[in-house]
Amino acid sequence: MPSLEISDLKALAKRRVPKMFFDYADSGAWTEGTYRANEADYHKIKLRQRVLVDMTNRSLASTMIGQKVSMPVALSPTGLTGMQHADGEMLAAQAAEEFGVPFTLSTMSICSIEDVASVTTKPFWFQLYVMKDRDFVRNLIERAKAAKCSALVLTLDLQILGQRHKDLRNGLSAPPKFTPKHIWQMATRPGWCLKMMKTQRRGFGNIVGHAKNVSDLSSLSAWTAEQFDPKLSWDDVAWIKQLWGGPLILKGILDPEDARMAAKTGADAIIVSNHGGRQLDGAASSISMLPRIVDAVGGDIEIHIDGGIRSGQDILKAVALGARGTYIGRPFLYGLGASGKTGVRLALDILRKELDITMALCGKRDILDVDRDILDSDAGQLPR
Ligand code: GLV
């Protein structure tokens, strides 16, 4: 059966990836209400069907922070990507490069900055978490510079980790533990195990051997509780901006007030985000907040969005509401879990096709001409 939509890739990934890692991707904090709302709110937005408009020569090409993209989509920074598939970050970065969209490497990745740089030819983006150990932060920034990363994505919404019940119940860790439950989860996924046995990359590649005084690196929750800086402030953003000196994207803005503060920092873009529903459960969906943030700072800073995007239609709706760029996390992770690099390519191909056909049927030929006009303001509940 061919995979025609992202949910097909999700079903395949569920069969191929050990439960603890599949669940890590497919989870939100506490009740997962915000995680669900991120997706559901896209469905409330209705499109205007237009006819007899010339649909030849369509273009999805755009820019994000001035960098060319073949469609306005980047791969989100996602933790433990190399546990969805052996060497996952390297494969996803290659797929993104071939496709012409940015790949963002997470601080909490399995493959390191240097690993990803060694298999790519174009610059990728690096996402930074700020640790209490400022020497380590400086060192990460230096490594990202040495790897010629072309943007730093600074995450603002994870000073402490939201509780994801599935991870605690599964006893998630990287490398995985060898308890009977974990052995069973892996033994029932032999393809995953075989590939994982062929790679050495099974721990947090950016951190192991680089950070000092790390007592428990295997558990994400223990590591974040011990190492992440809960005092992170706007002054630190200024410090990081100056240290990095290149294009800076601030990730995790969900409130117009914070958006105004972010715009004042002189960063190049913000990402409207609730961390895929993984942090503050009960927060509004990203897409429902986008119009208010565009109203507040649309003229001052470039606006991107993540959370809940599962189709090309969702991408188009976000662009119509004012996002210059969008990010996909789970859709590419499902592709990766389903079939490695080919699966990531397939996820991107699926999204591109959906985006292209939807744009055409809305009567537009160029993604750069898409605006609120393609949305039906009477049908459904258009976010205010
Ligand atoms: C880390 O960024 C996570 O959401 O697990």
Side-chain angles (χ1 to χ4, degrees):
M1 283 276 278
S3 294
L4 300 178
E5 51 187 337
I6 297 298
S7 59
D8 294 332
L9 294 173
K10 180 174 179 179
L12 271 179
K14 190 168 184 169
R15 295 215 305 269
R16 295 185 179 162
V17 178
K19 180 172 163 38
M20 66 192 126
F21 299 119
F22 176 81
D23 280 355
Y24 170 70
D26 182 28
S27 59
W30 288 322
T31 71
E32 302 194 333
T34 298
Y35 173 29
R36 286 190 298 276
N38 274 349
E39 282 183 49
D41 283 358
Y42 273 103
H43 296 286
K44 295 180 186 160
I45 303 169
K46 301 297 170 203
L47 301 162
R48 284 175 69 199
Q49 171 181 307
R50 305 300 307 277
V51 296
L52 302 184
V53 180
D54 182 359
M55 290 180 185
T56 54
N57 297 327
R58 295 188 300 280
S59 168
L60 298 177
S62 185
T63 57
M64 290 170 73
I65 55 163
Q67 300 178 21
K68 283 191 182 143
V69 290
S70 62
M71 64 179 178
V73 176
L75 269 55
S76 298
T78 52
L80 279 69
T81 302
M83 286 290 143
Q84 303 294 333
H85 187 286
D87 297 336
E89 291 89 357
M90 292 155 80
L91 300 178
Q94 288 178 319
E97 174 171 307
E98 284 168 17
F99 202 90
V101 294
F103 170 78
T104 318
L105 183 72
S106 165
T107 294
M108 304 306 286
S109 59
I110 301 295
C111 303
S112 67
I113 302 175
E114 293 77 14
D115 288 333
V116 174
S118 73
V119 295
T120 48
T121 57
K122 291 191 206 120
F124 56 97
W125 294 355
F126 181 66
Q127 173 270 343
L128 183 71
Y129 277 128
V130 183
M131 323 283 172
K132 288 178 199 153
D133 178 352
R134 292 301 153 101
D135 284 342
F136 179 56
V137 173
R138 263 189 220 100
N139 175 260
L140 273 175
I141 293 179
E142 285 313 316
R143 289 167 62 199
K145 278 191 203 172
K148 305 206 164 31
C149 291
S150 57
L152 189 74
V153 177
L154 178 62
T155 300
L156 306 180
D157 61 3
L158 202 145
Q159 283 152 273
I160 55 171
L161 191 72
Q163 178 163 315
R164 299 109 191 221
H165 294 323
K166 285 178 194 149
D167 293 350
L168 295 176
R169 292 194 175 112
N170 286 331
L172 173 81
S173 68
K177 295 187 201 88
F178 280 87
T179 66
K181 180 173 85 177
H182 297 107
I183 292 172
W184 173 253
Q185 287 188 10
M186 290 185 279
T188 50
R189 303 290 185 273
W192 181 94
C193 288
L194 275 176
K195 291 190 197 81
M196 210 46 95
M197 270 151 46
K198 287 196 205 135
T199 183
Q200 298 302 314
R201 302 179 186 93
R202 292 189 285 257
F204 289 103
N206 285 327
I207 294 159
V208 182
H210 294 278
K212 296 182 290 265
N213 309 322
V214 176
S215 60
D216 182 2
L217 195 52
S218 67
S219 148
L220 191 67
S221 49
W223 158 257
T224 46
E226 188 186 286
Q227 301 290 330
F228 282 29
D229 188 353
K231 295 203 299 276
L232 192 67
S233 70
W234 290 106
D235 288 342
D236 295 313
V237 174
W239 174 69
I240 285 159
K241 182 172 186 300
Q242 189 240 328
L243 212 59
W244 166 245
L248 178 69
I249 302 175
L250 300 179
K251 174 173 182 284
I253 300 289
L254 200 66
D255 189 274
E257 203 53 47
D258 287 339
R260 283 188 202 100
M261 306 278 281
K264 280 191 211 139
T265 64
D268 296 83
I270 55 171
I271 310 179
V272 177
S273 172
N274 50 35
H275 213 104
R278 299 162 72 79
Q279 286 294 96
L280 178 62
D281 185 41
S285 68
S286 325
I287 192 65
S288 71
M289 292 308 297
L290 178 62
R292 275 170 270 184
I293 292 179
V294 169
D295 283 350
V297 296
D300 306 325
I301 190 166
E302 188 167 308
I303 298 174
H304 301 169
I305 188 168
D306 73 12
I309 292 173
R310 299 291 178 272
S311 72
Q313 295 216 329
D314 298 340
I315 296 167
L316 192 72
K317 289 171 182 175
V319 170
L321 287 171
R324 180 73 189 192
T326 66
Y327 293 72
I328 50 158
R330 293 172 181 105
F332 98 78
L333 291 179
Y334 296 148
L336 185 67
S339 40
K341 181 174 156 187
T342 320
V344 179
R345 280 286 323 211
L346 186 54
L348 287 165
D349 278 329
I350 288 171
L351 295 172
R352 171 163 59 190
K353 197 165 171 190
E354 291 167 342
L355 174 59
D356 177 48
I357 294 177
T358 309
M359 182 177 81
L361 294 174
C362 287
K364 295 283 181 190
R365 294 197 297 184
D366 190 337
I367 194 85
L368 297 173
D369 291 337
V370 168
D371 60 17
R372 251 183 125 104
D373 203 40
I374 68 156
L375 305 179
D376 187 336
S377 49
D378 294 329
Q381 288 167 282
L382 197 57
R384 67 184 175 87

